[in-house]
Amino acid sequence: MKTWIKNPLAILAQQAENGLVIEDDKIIELVARGNQPSMAVDAVIDAREHVVIPGLVSTHHHYYQTLTRAFNDSLDKELFDWLTTLYKVWQNLTPENLHVASKTAMAELLLSGCTTSADHHYVFPRGLENAIDIQVEAAREIGIRSVLTRGSMNLSQKDGGLPPDSVVQDEDVILADCERLIHKYHDDSDGAMIQIALAPCSPFSVSKSIMEHTAILAKKHNVRMHTHLSETEDENQFCLKMFGCRPLDYLEQVGWLNDKTWLAHAIHYTDEELVRLGRAGVGMGHCPSSNMILSSGMFRGVAAERAGCKVSIAVDGSASNDHSNMMLELRQAFLLQRLQYSSALSHNDILRWGTKGGAAALGRTDIGELAVGKQADIAMFKLDEIQFMGADNPLAALIICGATRADKVMVKGKLLIDNGQLIYLDLAKHAQEHKRAQASMRAK
Ligand SMILES: [Zn+2]
């Protein structure tokens, strides 16, 4: 089955002014100005009113947090206080609630044009030992391409960490589950829909030993590693006190300073540290909304990219963003980076970070671009809402005028959003389920 996405209003690809042709799950041809597809097609999608871009790639999230958005007790707090308030609610997370919350986040991502998302799930209270299995099931139901990272916490308050005992697990249990999940779900083939990565939560919630053993396990199975690092000044102080060094030195000591690692936030680095990170080819997930809401600091995107880091954008968890709209997050990244870098940063850089940069951070070469041989992960936006009236450059308009919802989204060549609606999820019914899940978690 060949489909021509025909004559787009604008497209984020070279030599594709007349669109592109997909066959099954892949892009097979770019159609340059004045040209027609070189072979007969079976279907045509008229894209005259659409801005066509590669599906966006979000590299860091916590899906379960859709259950604690704008949470009263955590408002107006910085990271450590915010976390200690929320752990008390998150310890009540159940398999049913995680399933519903994950679907909510994935659906919201898809509606915003995001086709690949990495989630970082690190809360494993008793009864939720199979959290990642539940997320795999939800991802298959929604159809979004997923990197599910097996998070962990094993350093509770009694050992000098931040989380309470109720949400941590023993190291042996964590490592055994990591290995089980890799064997069961990790797919390293071209076009993979589900991948597993290993993701101890943060320096202040895991032991040094689990960081070291995770690196060994990741190398053994050739999977990627992910963690929060250098998010706040408080974390710098914690590392100096607990480990006698700054977070980056700690990362190097535990065997993580390499191109298999991508970091969430990555804010508080010196110039010299950025050079070391760039030389190692580390990926970074910039989470601008979260960083602003929690007053964590400003990620230095242009400097990180110049140093050689793979820069990407991520929505971060829904208790610190509190939306899961990847296109809105690109706008936030644009504004925050523009404030620092002026004309050294354009909307094109942000679109690159949100697509190709995300793919690179996740170690993927099959997504993130509209090019022959890549996966047919495509987002199409109409500029017919009021905020676009008078817009000149359609690609810039997506970012600067503030696009929020895609008109059509396909993953692996399959249309999942049409006319701005989810084809395979009854959102009204799902909203009721989400409401029940939220109420049950708060009631405990
Ligand atoms: Zn996070």
Side-chain angles (χ1 to χ4, degrees):
M1 170 88 176
K2 296 187 187 71
T3 304
W4 179 16
I5 298 177
K6 185 181 175 183
N7 297 352
L9 176 65
I11 186 165
L12 189 64
Q14 301 296 318
Q15 306 288 312
E17 295 83 0
N18 280 11
L20 53 83
V21 181
I22 62 169
E23 182 174 23
D24 303 327
D25 62 336
K26 283 191 174 141
I27 298 167
I28 59 163
E29 185 176 5
L30 300 181
V31 187
R33 194 186 312 278
N35 288 0
Q36 303 267 321
S38 60
M39 53 199 121
V41 297
D42 307 294
V44 169
I45 296 175
D46 182 350
R48 274 174 301 177
E49 292 182 29
H50 291 96
V51 184
V52 180
I53 63 169
L56 302 172
V57 180
S58 172
T59 57
H60 182 71
H61 203 324
H62 311 287
Y63 294 155
Y64 72 93
Q65 292 180 7
T66 55
L67 295 164
T68 49
R69 283 170 156 158
F71 188 67
N72 240 329
D73 294 348
S74 67
L75 296 175
D76 309 323
K77 288 190 160 73
E78 291 186 18
L79 183 70
F80 281 15
D81 286 343
W82 174 88
L83 277 170
T84 42
T85 304
L86 283 163
Y87 287 139
K88 293 175 199 147
V89 188
W90 296 340
Q91 68 188 1
N92 298 328
L93 194 62
T94 63
E96 297 74 26
N97 294 354
L98 176 62
H99 185 247
V100 172
S102 298
K103 282 174 72 172
T104 302
M106 293 174 194
E108 190 181 355
L109 285 162
L110 265 187
L111 284 164
S112 72
C114 177
T115 53
T116 298
S117 170
D119 192 64
H120 186 180
H121 187 84
Y122 56 83
V123 177
F124 288 79
R126 209 171 308 251
L128 193 58
E129 288 77 11
N130 288 337
I132 306 300
D133 303 73
I134 291 162
Q135 292 196 305
V136 170
E137 192 188 316
R140 286 177 176 158
E141 286 173 46
I142 295 290
I144 194 166
R145 200 181 291 278
S146 301
V147 178
L148 297 165
T149 78
R150 204 300 182 184
S152 56
M153 300 197 289
N154 74 332
L155 194 72
S156 68
Q157 285 157 4
K158 68 173 167 28
D159 301 314
L162 207 64
D165 288 347
S166 53
V167 289
V168 303
Q169 292 178 302
D170 289 339
E171 179 171 329
D172 293 351
V173 173
I174 293 165
L175 293 173
D177 195 45
C178 286
E179 208 149 25
R180 177 186 73 82
L181 290 165
I182 294 167
H183 288 308
K184 191 162 179 194
Y185 299 115
H186 183 66
D187 179 0
D188 58 6
S189 65
D190 188 75
M193 286 296 288
I194 301 284
Q195 293 192 321
I196 300 291
L198 307 185
C201 188
S202 60
F204 49 83
S205 59
V206 300
S207 66
K208 199 166 181 177
S209 166
I210 206 159
M211 291 294 285
E212 290 165 341
H213 283 98
T214 296
I216 293 165
L217 204 58
K219 196 167 184 187
K220 179 178 165 198
H221 295 289
N222 195 26
V223 298
R224 299 182 78 75
M225 300 185 286
H226 180 53
T227 192
H228 295 95
L229 205 77
S230 302
E231 182 172 357
T232 63
E233 270 303 336
D234 286 349
E235 182 191 317
N236 280 351
Q237 297 310 317
F238 180 94
C239 285
L240 284 169
K241 203 170 141 208
M242 188 86 173
F243 310 114
C245 62
R246 285 170 57 82
L248 180 59
D249 297 319
Y250 172 72
L251 197 77
E252 186 161 27
Q253 284 170 23
V254 294
W256 278 57
L257 189 57
N258 59 61
D259 63 359
K260 295 284 184 200
T261 297
W262 87 100
L263 305 171
H265 307 298
I267 296 171
H268 296 279
Y269 297 120
T270 63
D271 291 344
E272 183 266 332
E273 287 175 332
L274 274 185
V275 169
R276 284 165 64 198
L277 284 156
R279 205 181 291 140
V282 170
M284 293 176 171
H286 175 30
C287 309
S289 295
S290 169
N291 298 158
M292 287 189 272
I293 286 176
L294 297 177
S295 302
S296 301
M298 274 202 273
F299 172 69
R300 295 193 291 151
V302 173
E305 191 170 49
R306 280 182 188 152
C309 296
K310 298 164 193 147
V311 175
S312 68
I313 298 172
V315 294
D316 200 10
S318 294
S320 67
N321 182 318
D322 293 4
H323 66 68
S324 299
N325 188 309
M326 187 57 180
M327 190 45 100
L328 271 184
E329 205 58 22
L330 262 61
R331 185 169 196 271
Q332 293 290 20
F334 173 76
L335 296 176
L336 189 60
Q337 297 300 314
R338 192 60 177 261
L339 186 62
Q340 298 177 70
Y341 294 108
S342 184
S343 57
L345 176 116
S346 83
H347 68 278
N348 290 316
D349 298 307
I350 295 296
L351 284 167
R352 186 180 67 256
W353 292 356
T355 54
K356 207 174 166 181
L362 299 179
R364 303 281 298 237
T365 55
D366 55 344
I367 57 169
E369 275 180 274
L370 300 179
V372 172
K374 304 284 179 187
Q375 286 287 300
D377 288 7
I378 300 172
M380 299 170 62
F381 292 81
K382 276 189 172 176
L383 303 183
D384 57 356
E385 292 165 283
I386 194 163
Q387 72 266 34
F388 299 111
M389 287 182 186
D392 188 22
N393 181 320
L395 282 164
L398 291 180
I399 306 290
I400 296 169
C401 303
T404 55
R405 193 176 263 220
D407 182 65
K408 295 181 195 297
V409 177
M410 61 173 66
V411 177
K412 215 174 174 61
K414 182 180 179 187
L415 201 61
L416 300 178
I417 306 283
D418 198 16
N419 293 317
Q421 304 295 325
L422 293 149
I423 299 175
Y424 301 102
L425 183 75
D426 180 340
L427 201 52
K429 191 168 158 240
H430 181 76
Q432 292 305 316
E433 288 173 23
H434 193 99
K435 212 169 185 173
R436 277 196 292 277
Q438 177 190 352
S440 87
M441 201 161 90
R442 307 266 174 96
K444 287 183 185 172

